[in-house]
Structure formats: C-alpha cells, structure tokens
Amino acid sequence: MAKKQDYYSQLSIGRDATAEEIRQAYFEAARRLHPDKNVAPGETELFIDVQEAYEVLSNPKKRARYDAILPSEKTPLLPVEQRILFSRSNLLHLDEPQLLYALLEFSPKADASQSPAPPLNICLVIDRSTSMQGKNMDVVKSTAIQIARKLKAHDYFSLVAFSDRAESILPAERGADAKKSEARIQMIQCSGGTEIFSGLEMGYNEVLRNQRNSSSNHIILLTDGRTYGDEEKCLDLARKAAEKGISIRGLGIGSEWNDVFLDELASLTGGSSMYISRPQDIQRILLEQINQLNMSVVEETCLEFIIPEGTELHYAFRIAPNPSLLPMESPIRLGPVLKDNNLQVLMEFVVQSAGENETVTLLDGKISVTSNNLETKTVSFPLKLKRPVKNEHSKEPPAPEIVSALSKLTLYRMQEQVRLEVTAGEYDRAAEHLQRLATQLLARGERGLARTALLEAEQISQKKSFSQEGQKEIKYGTRSLLISGERKQYGDLP
Amino acid sequence: MVICPNCQHKEISGAIFCSKCGAQLVDMNVATHKINTAERRAAEGITGGLKSSPPSTLQSWLSLHIVESGQILPLADRTEFTLGRMAEGQPIVPDVDLSPYNAYANGVSRLHSAIKLVNNQVVILDLGSSNGTYLNGTRLSPYVEMPVRDGDIAYLGKLKIQLLISA
C-alpha cells in the first residue's frame, strides 16, 4: 500500500500555507471531489481524506499539534529526523516583550546509524609552551601516540606543536612509519610562550591539504595558556575553517587559559571547548573526542537565517552533544549529529509586541546538513519558526524536554550573569547571585559544585574577583549538568 | 511580566525559570488526581489486602510523583508509609519500594524516609538515611518531622519526588 500522504499534500499546498490558502485549497478540492460531482471511482474516499485534512489544518491548535509530529518534508533523503518543540503553542496578544523557546532536535535514523563513519582527517595542535612541561606534556604525548596507533588506515593524522612559533611534528600522511612517528612525538620539547594563531594556522593548512570530498575534517587544539594579540586573527581563521567544513575543538588544561576566547573560536566551527582540570583527565577527554568524531552520522548541521523585525534571537545554546553556547549570527554551525546522541539546540526568542490574530515569524531560514550518507553530500531544507498570537495561553504546560533543558541551562546562565556582574563591578550582586546558584546546586545534589560557588561568592565579596580556577569549574561544571545521566564512557577506540 | 514567587525578580512574560534565583516559574500541571487503582505499582509488595480492598474510608491522601520518570504513585489505606528500597535477603521491607525508579543509583537507603498523616497535616521525616532527605532543597535532620505542602519537592538522596497532597 502506498504511504498515506500528509495533509498538506492532500490539499496540494505548502507547509507554510496561510489560513486563507488552506481554505481556498479546500474549497477547490471539495468542489472537484464532492460525492455529487465526482466521476472516477475512489474519489469519494479522496473527498473524505480532504475533509479530514481541512478539519485539522483549519484549526490552528490542531494544526500546530499536527505540524509538531509531521516528519520533515525531505525525510526520505536525510539520515536524520528533525523535530521542533516550542515552549508555548501560541504567543500572547501583548504589548510588552515576551519570551518563547524553541528546541530543534535532530535524531539519527536507524539505518543511518549502521553506515560506517567517514574517514577522518585530524590535526592535533599542541601547546608546548614552558608551562606544559612535566605531567601535562607527558600525558599529551602518550595520548597522541595512542591516537596515532588506533586510527584506521584510511584516516589522516597530523600533529603540530606550537609555542611562539609552530612546528609540524607529523605531517599529514596515511600509513606513516609508526616507529618514526612515535619517536618524533617523544622528542617534543617544551619552551617559550603561547601563540595560538601560529599553531592553528599550520594545523589548518595540514587539514586543508588532505581534505577529500568524503573526509571528516577536524582540528583539536590543546592549550594551557592565554594567547595575546592574535585572537582576532584566530577567529578569522576559524570562520574560514568553518566555510571549508573544518571543525575546531578546544581543550583547555588547568586554569590559565582563556575560556571565553576558546569557546568563541570553537563555536564558530560547530565545535566546543572543554575544561581539563587535572592532567590525568587529558587522556580520557582527548580519546573521548576522537571517538566522537568516529560516531558521526551527520558531520555538520548549519543554520542560516534571518530574524524579522520586532523579534530577537536572544540566546542560542547547544544542549547535546557537547553543550556549548552558540554564536547568534547567521550562519550558526550547530555541529554534528552522533549515532547515539541527538543534536539538540535551544533558542530563546524575544518578541517585542504581538498584535491580535497575527502570526509572528520568529526565524526564517534554512538548515544545511552535510553527511557522507548523502549522495549529494549536502542537503538544505527550509526552516521557518512561527507561532500564532492569541488572547490566552494554551492550557498545556511547556514541552517537558524544554523545561528539563532549561532547568539546567538556567544554572549555566546564572553563572554567566555573575561573570557580567563581576566585570561591571557589582560585587555584592554577583556574590548574592552565586549564593542563589549554590542553593540550586545543592537542591540538585551537586554538593561539590555548590561548595565551589560558595567559596567563590566569598572570594568575590573580599577580593572583588573570581579565582581563575573556581570560575572555570563553575562554568564547565554547570555546563556538564546538561550531559544527561551519568557521564557516557566511550571506551576504547574501535 | 512575570514575578518570581521566590525572589520577586521580574522576568519577561513567557519565562520558564527565574534568571535570578533559578526557581521554576511554570506549573507543569502534573498533579493528576484521577488515579487508576490498577496502576498502583507502589502497592506491590505491601500487604495483599491493599490492592484488592474496595474504596475505603481512607482515600488516597498523597501521591508521589517520581519526577524523572513522570510516574505517579498514589498512597492510600493507612496514615504512615516508609519509603525505601528493597534489597535481597533483607528482613526490613519498606512500605513503598522505590527500586523500580533507580533508587539504588540515586542513593536511596533501604529505609530512607517516612511520610505520615498527623491531624490532617502531612509530614515527612528522614529515617537516618545515608544520603539524606531534602525538602525543597533543605536537608532534614534525621527523625525530625517536617510539614509538607502540596507540590513540595523532596529528594531521597538524588531521587526527586514531588509530593502531591489530595486530602
């Protein structure tokens, strides 16, 4: 039996048809198919179908509910399924600003999960400044050797070390002499400062040189220090990398590195930054990252959009995988979709004022999905987020997925607020805010993190500043609350 | 405009959480009071008479809403319940066995807390559990009764339970 058509195709209208268009289409179809008029056998059944379609689509509430469960139009092509949830099914008729949340979710399809991951093209860019000396560098070296050993024959692996200038330790090649490579990694010496741009640029060129149509391209940057003066150049390079389909992941070791910068750098490319507080965690986190690269069903999801006048995209955050703040300018690289983890992105919109009986468009744009599972490599489809305006809120509570994500995200955002307050010199408010955060953390059973928050609150009231370490611990600690359940262990590489 | 009931901070209409204190601003409407007796999973393991008893004089006065899984366990027929986790080869059996709800992983003790109905007031007390009982974020001192209001959130270790009072 042929698959039943969706209501929109039954009425031969687009998904974004207005109420008037739906009505017109229905009348037209009804005139043609009415039992008194129709000629061909089976048309009476069609007439019933059309009526059913109209009944749902003409009622905005029913239509919204139907839209929510409707698979996206290009479903048969895509290796992922898209789902959109809103915090409210409608906006309120209101003259003051109001908030609305939308959760975009992309989940891998069962058959896509079977297909093998594309060949990797990775460059590890390692900070070898003086401060890395000792345990940090030892663990990094041994992990790099492990990665080199475990990658598959079709993968490209290169390694760049940088301090004031960059040096290519392993040029990107396949099936390099393992013994020689390992010896070269062992010989890395620590000295000098941290100039991220030189390392990043060399890493970028290594990856670019071996980029194939089918490869999945990544730079993993490991640093423990701050770079001075070349931040802008780095960010420009990241934008360029994003356009070429190269992602950057930033791993910061210890407390001295600039997390705001690394976050921005990574999020421009769909990657994220991670905090490594102790040297013994370097190996686990690095291997986890490499493993994740092997798990992708979709290598990159990119959202291009415009926000209409009167609406503002106020906040965008990737909930899973790798929770991270997203840039709010089009295009946003949302990151990969993994085999065992849905991609979830939460967006907060502020609507300035909503007139009666109008439909407010929150966002108008398109999603491009890049995957090796696709014949054309990249497929785009439109994405339009809009909500009707009514005089009353619907009785339904917000989608539980949104509430659950927000319950944790709120804590992360409280921490962001505290940072802003400290920067603005509002120390008392910051300290109070941190105490409230501690209360919430305690309620969740996060005692260690709550303690850190309280200690920092004290530090702020007395010394008028965060401690580097506590600041990062709270930031990445609240962020990791979003990783649902227990920490996922990826185990060894295949 | 929405005003946070906890800290009086003003939020834009449509907010779900307070940005100042992190409190939830939206009622999730989970308090379903229509309860199907056949679904009394909590009652398994309690005295057999409980399941088959007809609607008695003492109606279900409290329901436990296991927040993580969304299940609602109605409690009825007596005025005192102990909550905990059944373990093999152990003589003490709690009235309400929470092991189907990941009690072990959440650090629920075998005899963790008790909930009582005293003079029409519902109270909760900790039974000396290892990981503690929290009511609305505050840890209870062991064996001290604390009054409970409808919709309060209790944590048994890390297991989050909302207490819905129907009496």
Side-chain angles (χ1 to χ4, degrees):
Chain A
M1 203 177 82
K3 215 177 144 204
K4 211 174 147 135
Q5 282 186 306
D6 69 66
Y7 291 154
Y8 291 99
S9 26
Q10 263 157 14
L11 290 174
S12 321
I13 47 174
R15 300 248 167 134
D16 50 0
T18 61
E20 184 56 28
E21 282 166 11
I22 294 173
R23 212 168 58 92
Q24 292 285 349
Y26 167 67
F27 283 146
E28 192 277 318
R31 262 199 295 275
R32 190 165 39 85
L33 299 170
H34 193 277
D36 291 350
K37 295 274 179 63
N38 66 32
V39 278
E43 286 195 336
T44 305
E45 282 73 17
L46 274 179
F47 178 69
I48 293 167
D49 285 348
V50 163
Q51 282 206 302
E52 188 188 321
Y54 181 65
E55 212 179 288
V56 171
L57 298 184
S58 60
N59 179 331
K61 254 194 204 158
K62 283 188 185 169
R63 184 180 174 187
R65 223 173 300 149
Y66 177 71
D67 283 351
I69 57 158
L70 197 64
S72 82
E73 270 178 289
K74 300 249 171 94
T75 331
L77 274 174
L78 288 174
V80 287
E81 270 172 70
Q82 181 195 329
R83 187 163 76 132
I84 302 168
L85 297 169
F86 291 96
S87 61
R88 297 273 182 196
S89 58
N90 62 277
L91 287 159
L92 268 191
H93 171 41
L94 211 64
D95 279 338
E96 54 179 89
Q98 52 184 315
L99 285 178
L100 192 83
Y101 295 93
L103 183 75
L104 299 185
E105 185 173 58
F106 300 89
S107 45
K109 284 191 193 151
D111 52 338
S113 305
Q114 304 299 324
S115 58
L120 296 176
N121 175 15
I122 314 176
C123 182
L124 206 55
V125 176
I126 295 171
D127 185 344
R128 55 154 181 168
S129 57
T130 321
S131 51
M132 284 289 286
Q133 197 144 24
K135 182 118 200 235
N136 280 349
M137 194 37 109
D138 292 346
V139 182
V140 170
K141 280 182 186 171
S142 79
T143 312
I145 292 173
Q146 276 189 53
I147 293 171
R149 278 187 196 159
K150 284 179 172 176
L151 286 175
K152 296 191 211 73
H154 62 221
D155 296 332
Y156 278 103
F157 178 62
S158 53
L159 200 150
V160 168
F162 71 96
S163 51
D164 306 307
R165 53 190 184 79
E167 185 191 347
S168 165
I169 305 291
L170 297 180
E173 53 184 351
R174 284 198 261 208
D177 182 346
K179 274 221 176 91
K180 244 186 183 161
S181 313
E182 283 169 25
R184 293 194 61 116
I185 294 175
Q186 288 295 4
M187 288 197 346
I188 301 175
Q189 296 290 331
C190 294
S191 74
T194 299
E195 266 182 45
I196 291 181
F197 179 72
S198 60
L200 205 57
E201 190 183 33
M202 187 173 275
Y204 169 78
N205 288 330
E206 285 292 341
V207 171
L208 201 59
R209 195 153 56 83
N210 290 299
Q211 191 172 26
R212 301 284 180 278
N213 194 27
S214 62
S215 61
S216 159
N217 315 293
H218 308 274
I219 295 171
I220 298 177
L221 172 68
L222 254 161
T223 180
D224 73 336
R226 257 165 208 273
T227 186
Y228 287 102
D230 57 0
E231 285 98 337
E232 266 316 305
K233 274 159 77 185
C234 290
L235 294 177
D236 281 341
L237 188 66
R239 289 188 194 98
K240 222 160 85 186
E243 269 167 36
K244 302 262 185 208
I246 300 171
S247 89
I248 301 176
R249 288 160 190 248
L251 274 60
I253 305 168
S255 57
E256 295 302 315
W257 54 286
N258 184 346
D259 57 313
V260 177
F261 164 68
L262 218 55
D263 240 1
E264 190 179 355
L265 185 77
S267 64
L268 280 172
T269 68
S272 63
S273 76
M274 250 150 274
Y275 169 46
I276 306 179
S277 55
R278 305 170 306 168
Q280 52 266 48
D281 292 336
I282 295 176
Q283 176 172 344
R284 179 177 56 82
I285 293 179
L286 201 52
L287 289 179
E288 243 173 54
Q289 287 298 308
I290 301 272
N291 247 316
Q292 237 189 38
L293 301 180
N294 262 322
M295 301 283 283
S296 67
V297 173
V298 162
E299 278 86 70
E300 182 56 56
T301 320
C302 181
L303 171 62
E304 279 172 72
F305 61 92
I306 45 168
I307 304 282
E309 192 102 352
T311 306
E312 188 197 338
L313 174 59
H314 194 243
Y315 201 81
F317 198 92
R318 177 174 55 233
I319 304 291
N322 304 327
S324 172
L325 184 63
L326 295 171
M328 273 173 285
E329 277 163 31
S330 173
I332 304 181
R333 317 265 161 188
L334 306 177
V337 181
L338 306 181
K339 278 179 191 171
D340 59 347
N341 206 338
N342 295 353
L343 170 64
Q344 286 185 324
V345 173
L346 189 78
M347 294 197 259
E348 181 182 270
F349 294 97
V350 177
V351 177
Q352 286 309 331
S353 74
E356 210 167 353
N357 292 328
E358 69 174 327
T359 297
V360 172
T361 303
L362 303 164
L363 174 149
D364 193 354
K366 64 167 187 175
I367 298 256
S368 310
V369 167
T370 308
S371 165
N372 240 2
N373 290 314
L374 289 166
E375 266 173 46
T376 49
K377 184 88 176 159
T378 302
V379 167
S380 305
F381 51 91
L383 177 79
K384 197 165 185 175
L385 303 180
K386 52 184 186 178
R387 293 283 90 183
V389 178
K390 288 185 193 151
N391 285 323
E392 258 178 61
H393 269 317
S394 61
K395 293 278 176 287
E396 294 158 56
E401 288 88 344
I402 292 188
V403 175
S404 133
L406 271 175
S407 71
K408 299 163 195 159
L409 189 55
T410 302
L411 303 185
Y412 179 78
R413 292 181 69 178
M414 284 170 81
Q415 163 274 138
E416 285 182 329
Q417 287 298 325
V418 174
R419 281 187 169 210
L420 291 177
E421 283 158 1
V422 170
T423 322
E426 296 167 345
Y427 303 113
D428 293 343
R429 282 181 65 179
E432 188 206 329
H433 218 146
L434 262 181
Q435 279 159 358
R436 291 190 188 271
L437 175 61
T439 313
Q440 290 293 334
L441 287 169
L442 272 180
R444 295 185 155 265
E446 297 288 335
R447 280 191 229 166
L449 209 52
R451 231 194 93 191
T452 314
L454 285 176
L455 287 176
E456 284 305 309
E458 212 167 290
Q459 163 106 4
I460 288 171
S461 353
Q462 286 169 5
K463 298 192 181 149
K464 313 285 180 221
S465 80
F466 258 122
S467 78
Q468 286 282 356
E469 209 172 2
Q471 189 179 21
K472 290 198 176 66
E473 219 160 273
I474 294 170
K475 173 175 173 174
Y476 288 91
T478 47
R479 192 185 269 199
S480 70
L481 295 178
L482 284 157
I483 301 168
S484 50
E486 281 166 50
R487 270 196 79 80
K488 209 166 252 168
Q489 291 293 329
Y490 283 97
D492 264 359
L493 280 162
Chain B
M1 205 72 86
V2 191
I3 291 174
C4 171
N6 188 25
C7 70
Q8 272 70 46
H9 186 253
K10 281 180 193 158
E11 290 290 333
I12 302 181
S13 169
I16 299 180
F17 285 89
C18 172
S19 65
K20 176 105 190 183
C21 69
Q24 188 166 336
L25 303 173
V26 175
D27 185 9
M28 284 302 280
N29 251 341
V30 279
T32 23
H33 291 289
K34 270 183 262 159
I35 272 127
N36 180 359
T37 32
E39 283 174 5
R40 285 190 185 170
R41 292 189 52 188
E44 295 167 10
I46 316 180
T47 50
L50 205 132
K51 258 186 271 183
S52 53
S53 65
S56 62
T57 43
L58 195 57
Q59 297 246 315
S60 164
W61 48 276
L62 177 82
S63 304
L64 305 180
H65 170 224
I66 313 286
V67 177
E68 192 173 335
S69 57
Q71 275 142 316
I72 295 188
L73 317 176
L75 304 180
D77 294 83
R78 48 165 120 178
T79 56
E80 184 176 339
F81 288 92
T82 54
L83 312 184
R85 161 176 69 78
M86 209 105 82
E88 260 179 59
Q90 190 214 205
I92 326 156
V93 175
D95 294 331
V96 180
D97 176 24
L98 295 168
S99 43
Y101 313 101
N102 268 336
Y104 184 77
N106 281 310
V108 176
S109 294
R110 281 168 283 205
L111 269 183
H112 199 110
S113 325
I115 297 181
K116 295 188 203 172
L117 183 62
V118 185
N119 301 331
N120 266 333
Q121 169 68 53
V122 181
V123 297
I124 185 167
L125 71 155
D126 182 68
L127 298 173
S129 62
S130 324
N131 295 313
T133 305
Y134 296 78
L135 185 64
N136 298 326
T138 338
R139 184 167 182 160
L140 305 181
S141 316
Y143 305 106
V144 176
E145 296 181 350
M146 281 295 284
V148 173
R149 281 162 305 152
D150 184 28
D152 277 359
I153 300 282
Y155 277 91
L156 274 60
K158 276 158 99 181
L159 185 69
K160 186 177 183 182
I161 298 178
Q162 189 179 29
L163 306 168
L164 306 170
I165 299 168
S166 28

